Amino acid sequence: MSKNQFSALLAVITPEITSLITKNSNITETQAISLFYRSNLYRELADENSKLWHYSPLTLYTMLQDELLTGNYDYPEEAS
């Protein structure tokens, strides 16, 4: 995948995740965006080699929730 294609994919995934954060939390969209961009999950997602972009926004949101609650997250079983 080219760098432009990967950037475009992130541009599609990120708003879906931040929308889920906003919908399920008592925070603004701006706060949700900031929260997501500061997360370890986003740092890993932004690395194409991590292959996290294969997961659905809902799965990534669930992983983010795990990170926020426990400080880390597990990969879904199909990643093993």
Side-chain angles (χ1 to χ4, degrees):
M1 172 178 321
S2 76
K3 185 173 177 134
N4 286 343
Q5 289 171 319
F6 183 67
S7 294
L9 182 61
L10 276 182
V12 170
I13 294 171
T14 299
E16 292 184 39
I17 296 168
T18 57
S19 176
L20 286 166
I21 296 167
T22 303
K23 179 179 174 183
N24 295 304
S25 304
N26 191 22
I27 62 175
T28 67
E29 183 178 356
T30 301
Q31 291 170 319
I33 292 167
S34 179
L35 178 98
F36 184 53
Y37 281 148
R38 289 190 326 252
S39 71
N40 291 329
L41 181 70
Y42 180 78
R43 280 189 280 286
E44 193 170 352
L45 176 63
D47 177 4
E48 182 182 355
N49 294 323
S50 75
K51 305 296 184 201
L52 283 178
W53 48 271
H54 281 285
Y55 297 117
S56 72
L58 183 57
T59 298
L60 293 168
Y61 169 76
T62 302
M63 291 171 71
L64 177 65
Q65 291 304 304
D66 289 346
E67 178 183 341
L68 295 172
L69 291 172
T70 67
N72 59 41
Y73 51 87
D74 295 322
Y75 287 88
E77 200 168 299
E78 66 264 18
S80 302

